[in-house]
Amino acid sequence: MESRSSSGDMGRIASWVKSHRPMYHRATQHPFVVGISDGSVDLSAFKRWLAQDYIFVKEFVPFLASVLLKAWKHSDDESDMEILLGGMTSLSDELAWFRKEASKWDVKLVGIAPQQANLEYCRFLQSLMLPEVDYAVAITAFWAIETVYQESFSLCLDSSSKTPEELMETCQRWGSANFGHYCCSLQKIADRCLEKASSDIIRKAEEAFVCVLEHEVNFWNMSCGE
C-alpha cells in the first residue's frame, strides 16, 4: 500500500485500508484461510468454497467487462484497458481451473445453487454494472475484490505455513507475487481516478470498498458452513 497522493502523504486507497483496518483484517485473515495456512481446514468447507466461487466467477466476468467498458469511455490513461484486458484474459483460464479442481475433488458444478451470501454478493456486482456507476467506484470495488484474495491466499504461501500440498495450487493462483503486482496496478488506477473525483464519488467509492469487505467476510463464513 505505497501509493501516494498530492492531497496527502498516503493514497486514498491506503488511507481507507488503514481507517477500516478491523474489517479489512477480518476479510483478509478469515479463519477459513487461516485454516488452510495452518493445515486445519475442513476439506468439506474447501469444497463448498470451490463450488460457490465458481458461480461467483461466472458473475464476475460480466462485471469486469463493465469495468472495461467504463475504462474505454472515461479513463484518461490507455494503459488502464491493457491492465484490465489482462485480467479478463486470465478469467478464461480461471474458470477452466475451477472445473479441473472440481473434477479432482469430486465437486459437482452443474445444478449447484448459489447460497444466500453468494447471491447477495452477485447482486452487489450487478449494481456496480449500471451505466450510472462511476468508473472510479467500479475500479475501486474491482481492486478490493482482487486484493482480498491476494492478501488472503498469500498467507498460505508463507515459509512458516503448513498449507496442505493438495491446496498449494489454489493458494499460488491468488497469493503469488505476480498476482500481487497486478493488484498494485489496479490500486494505482483507483488512486489516480479518486484524485480527480468529486466528494460524492469518493464517498460512493469508499462505501463500495467497505461493501466488498463485508461481502468477502460473509462469503468466507458461508464456505465454513455458517
Side-chain angles (χ1 to χ4, degrees), residues 1-206:
M1 300 297 171
E2 297 180 351
S3 178
R4 299 291 169 177
S5 169
S6 59
S7 61
D9 292 335
M10 186 181 293
R12 183 78 62 176
I13 293 295
S15 71
W16 289 345
V17 170
K18 183 178 181 180
S19 61
H20 297 287
R21 176 60 65 180
M23 176 60 77
Y24 191 80
H25 183 273
R26 288 197 291 275
T28 57
Q29 299 189 38
H30 190 276
F32 175 77
V33 177
V34 172
I36 293 177
S37 67
D38 66 17
S40 66
V41 66
D42 184 341
L43 290 180
S44 66
F46 175 79
K47 293 177 182 180
R48 186 180 301 110
W49 166 82
L50 189 70
Q52 291 295 314
D53 209 34
Y54 175 72
I55 296 171
F56 179 80
V57 171
K58 289 196 295 181
E59 191 71 38
F60 195 63
V61 173
F63 166 64
L64 177 50
S66 74
V67 178
L68 186 61
L69 181 60
K70 291 178 193 296
W72 172 66
K73 288 183 175 180
H74 305 296
S75 176
D76 58 2
D77 190 329
E78 291 184 358
S79 67
D80 288 11
M81 288 192 65
E82 295 177 13
I83 293 168
L84 293 171
L85 279 170
M88 180 65 79
T89 301
S90 70
L91 284 179
S92 176
D93 175 66
E94 192 165 302
L95 286 168
W97 177 86
F98 271 103
R99 290 189 288 268
K100 177 177 69 71
E101 284 294 297
S103 177
K104 182 175 80 174
W105 292 99
D106 196 27
V107 172
K108 293 182 179 180
L109 297 179
V110 178
I112 296 293
Q115 295 191 21
Q116 188 62 33
N118 201 354
L119 280 172
E120 291 174 359
Y121 205 170
C122 289
R123 290 192 192 107
F124 172 67
L125 288 186
Q126 291 164 6
S127 72
L128 294 172
M129 293 165 59
L130 297 172
E132 60 265 31
V133 175
D134 193 87
Y135 176 47
V137 176
I139 193 66
T140 297
F142 180 54
W143 160 81
I145 293 167
E146 298 287 54
T147 296
V148 166
Y149 261 39
Q150 201 284 322
E151 291 212 18
S152 295
F153 285 107
S154 66
L155 293 174
C156 307
L157 301 179
D158 187 83
S159 59
S160 62
S161 71
K162 299 178 182 178
T163 301
E165 182 62 32
E166 61 269 28
L167 300 184
M168 282 298 294
E169 186 177 346
T170 298
C171 300
Q172 289 166 349
R173 172 163 286 276
W174 289 284
S176 69
N178 283 342
F179 193 67
H181 293 322
Y182 172 64
C183 291
C184 286
S185 296
L186 295 177
Q187 180 183 339
K188 289 177 181 177
I189 295 173
D191 269 329
R192 191 192 75 243
C193 292
L194 291 166
E195 281 184 1
K196 305 171 184 178
S198 68
S199 58
D200 183 56
I201 294 300
I202 291 171
R203 176 184 58 80
K204 290 178 179 178
E206 183 175 10

